[in-house]
mmCIF file of all heavy atoms in Angstrom:
data_model
loop_
_atom_site.group_PDB
_atom_site.id
_atom_site.type_symbol
_atom_site.label_atom_id
_atom_site.label_comp_id
_atom_site.label_asym_id
_atom_site.label_seq_id
_atom_site.Cartn_x
_atom_site.Cartn_y
_atom_site.Cartn_z
ATOM 1 N N LEU K 503 -214.379 -99.519 -46.592
ATOM 2 C CA LEU K 503 -214.576 -99.636 -48.013
ATOM 3 C C LEU K 503 -215.232 -100.945 -48.454
ATOM 4 O O LEU K 503 -215.132 -101.953 -47.627
ATOM 5 C CB LEU K 503 -213.314 -99.530 -48.815
ATOM 6 C CG LEU K 503 -212.579 -98.085 -48.585
ATOM 7 C CD1 LEU K 503 -211.424 -98.106 -49.509
ATOM 8 C CD2 LEU K 503 -213.423 -97.014 -48.815
ATOM 9 N N ILE K 504 -215.946 -100.964 -49.510
ATOM 10 C CA ILE K 504 -216.527 -102.265 -49.961
ATOM 11 C C ILE K 504 -215.403 -103.340 -50.247
ATOM 12 O O ILE K 504 -214.358 -103.002 -50.435
ATOM 13 C CB ILE K 504 -217.265 -102.085 -51.259
ATOM 14 C CG1 ILE K 504 -216.410 -101.267 -52.377
ATOM 15 C CG2 ILE K 504 -218.558 -101.222 -51.065
ATOM 16 C CD1 ILE K 504 -217.007 -101.122 -53.720
ATOM 17 N N ASN K 505 -215.872 -104.440 -50.108
ATOM 18 C CA ASN K 505 -214.840 -105.656 -50.260
ATOM 19 C C ASN K 505 -214.260 -105.584 -51.589
ATOM 20 O O ASN K 505 -214.950 -105.240 -52.550
ATOM 21 C CB ASN K 505 -215.696 -106.969 -49.986
ATOM 22 C CG ASN K 505 -216.068 -107.133 -48.518
ATOM 23 O OD1 ASN K 505 -215.400 -106.611 -47.669
ATOM 24 N ND2 ASN K 505 -217.188 -107.831 -48.308
ATOM 25 N N ASN K 506 -213.055 -105.966 -51.627
ATOM 26 C CA ASN K 506 -212.371 -106.202 -52.845
ATOM 27 C C ASN K 506 -212.164 -104.879 -53.685
ATOM 28 O O ASN K 506 -211.898 -104.978 -54.766
ATOM 29 C CB ASN K 506 -213.070 -107.179 -53.806
ATOM 30 C CG ASN K 506 -213.257 -108.548 -53.124
ATOM 31 O OD1 ASN K 506 -212.333 -108.902 -52.343
ATOM 32 N ND2 ASN K 506 -214.339 -109.103 -53.269
ATOM 33 N N ILE K 507 -212.324 -103.768 -53.039
ATOM 34 C CA ILE K 507 -211.944 -102.478 -53.696
ATOM 35 C C ILE K 507 -210.539 -102.501 -54.049
ATOM 36 O O ILE K 507 -209.655 -103.002 -53.323
ATOM 37 C CB ILE K 507 -212.401 -101.273 -52.845
ATOM 38 C CG1 ILE K 507 -212.262 -99.923 -53.592
ATOM 39 C CG2 ILE K 507 -211.594 -101.249 -51.590
ATOM 40 C CD1 ILE K 507 -213.374 -99.753 -54.620
ATOM 41 N N THR K 508 -210.138 -101.996 -55.271
ATOM 42 C CA THR K 508 -208.807 -101.848 -55.688
ATOM 43 C C THR K 508 -208.290 -100.477 -55.111
ATOM 44 O O THR K 508 -208.790 -99.444 -55.536
ATOM 45 C CB THR K 508 -208.667 -102.084 -57.161
ATOM 46 O OG1 THR K 508 -209.238 -103.306 -57.461
ATOM 47 C CG2 THR K 508 -207.125 -102.091 -57.486
ATOM 48 N N LEU K 509 -207.265 -100.431 -54.431
ATOM 49 C CA LEU K 509 -206.529 -99.216 -54.133
ATOM 50 C C LEU K 509 -205.507 -98.997 -55.123
ATOM 51 O O LEU K 509 -204.507 -99.761 -55.129
ATOM 52 C CB LEU K 509 -205.909 -99.208 -52.675
ATOM 53 C CG LEU K 509 -206.877 -99.611 -51.477
ATOM 54 C CD1 LEU K 509 -206.180 -99.584 -50.166
ATOM 55 C CD2 LEU K 509 -208.024 -98.623 -51.383
ATOM 56 N N VAL K 510 -205.685 -98.033 -55.933
ATOM 57 C CA VAL K 510 -204.711 -97.691 -56.989
ATOM 58 C C VAL K 510 -203.628 -96.650 -56.406
ATOM 59 O O VAL K 510 -204.082 -95.674 -55.817
ATOM 60 C CB VAL K 510 -205.333 -97.113 -58.221
ATOM 61 C CG1 VAL K 510 -204.352 -96.719 -59.150
ATOM 62 C CG2 VAL K 510 -206.287 -98.212 -58.812
ATOM 63 N N SER K 511 -202.395 -96.977 -56.564
ATOM 64 C CA SER K 511 -201.401 -96.106 -56.004
ATOM 65 C C SER K 511 -201.402 -94.648 -56.716
ATOM 66 O O SER K 511 -201.774 -94.536 -57.928
ATOM 67 C CB SER K 511 -199.990 -96.668 -56.425
ATOM 68 O OG SER K 511 -198.973 -95.696 -55.993
ATOM 69 N N SER K 512 -201.162 -93.756 -55.993
ATOM 70 C CA SER K 512 -201.160 -92.268 -56.504
ATOM 71 C C SER K 512 -199.779 -91.974 -57.044
ATOM 72 O O SER K 512 -199.555 -90.819 -57.337
ATOM 73 C CB SER K 512 -201.717 -91.341 -55.469
ATOM 74 O OG SER K 512 -200.730 -91.182 -54.481
ATOM 75 N N GLU K 513 -198.804 -92.876 -56.948
ATOM 76 C CA GLU K 513 -197.492 -92.605 -57.410
ATOM 77 C C GLU K 513 -197.466 -92.772 -58.896
ATOM 78 O O GLU K 513 -197.654 -93.892 -59.410
ATOM 79 C CB GLU K 513 -196.448 -93.453 -56.709
ATOM 80 C CG GLU K 513 -196.352 -93.300 -55.256
ATOM 81 C CD GLU K 513 -195.847 -91.952 -54.942
ATOM 82 O OE1 GLU K 513 -195.077 -91.374 -55.626
ATOM 83 O OE2 GLU K 513 -196.380 -91.451 -53.923
ATOM 84 N N ARG K 514 -197.245 -91.707 -59.493
ATOM 85 C CA ARG K 514 -197.263 -91.872 -61.109
ATOM 86 C C ARG K 514 -196.197 -92.734 -61.521
ATOM 87 O O ARG K 514 -196.391 -93.497 -62.559
ATOM 88 C CB ARG K 514 -197.108 -90.360 -61.680
ATOM 89 C CG ARG K 514 -198.214 -89.417 -61.453
ATOM 90 C CD ARG K 514 -197.874 -88.110 -61.578
ATOM 91 N NE ARG K 514 -198.628 -87.181 -60.799
ATOM 92 C CZ ARG K 514 -198.799 -85.992 -60.790
ATOM 93 N NH1 ARG K 514 -198.262 -85.297 -61.905
ATOM 94 N NH2 ARG K 514 -199.521 -85.304 -60.022
ATOM 95 N N GLU K 515 -194.953 -92.821 -60.914
ATOM 96 C CA GLU K 515 -193.961 -93.641 -61.264
ATOM 97 C C GLU K 515 -194.398 -95.130 -61.310
ATOM 98 O O GLU K 515 -193.826 -95.932 -62.146
ATOM 99 C CB GLU K 515 -192.751 -93.548 -60.364
ATOM 100 C CG GLU K 515 -192.100 -92.120 -60.376
ATOM 101 C CD GLU K 515 -192.954 -91.166 -59.478
ATOM 102 O OE1 GLU K 515 -193.496 -91.593 -58.502
ATOM 103 O OE2 GLU K 515 -193.123 -89.949 -59.903
ATOM 104 N N GLU K 516 -195.220 -95.479 -60.393
ATOM 105 C CA GLU K 516 -195.731 -96.898 -60.369
ATOM 106 C C GLU K 516 -196.953 -97.160 -61.167
ATOM 107 O O GLU K 516 -197.418 -98.240 -61.318
ATOM 108 C CB GLU K 516 -196.166 -97.199 -58.925
ATOM 109 C CG GLU K 516 -194.922 -97.076 -57.979
ATOM 110 C CD GLU K 516 -195.416 -97.392 -56.511
ATOM 111 O OE1 GLU K 516 -196.578 -97.806 -56.244
ATOM 112 O OE2 GLU K 516 -194.740 -97.042 -55.585
ATOM 113 N N THR K 517 -197.510 -96.174 -61.864
ATOM 114 C CA THR K 517 -198.785 -96.322 -62.559
ATOM 115 C C THR K 517 -198.724 -95.778 -63.915
ATOM 116 O O THR K 517 -198.195 -96.393 -64.915
ATOM 117 C CB THR K 517 -199.974 -95.780 -61.721
ATOM 118 O OG1 THR K 517 -199.626 -94.354 -61.478
ATOM 119 C CG2 THR K 517 -200.226 -96.592 -60.398
#
Side-chain angles (χ1 to χ4, degrees):
L503 301 185
I504 52 178
N505 291 328
N506 304 321
I507 188 76
T508 303
L509 301 180
V510 175
S511 174
S512 69
E513 294 300 324
R514 291 163 214 198
E515 300 75 38
E516 296 175 16
T517 51

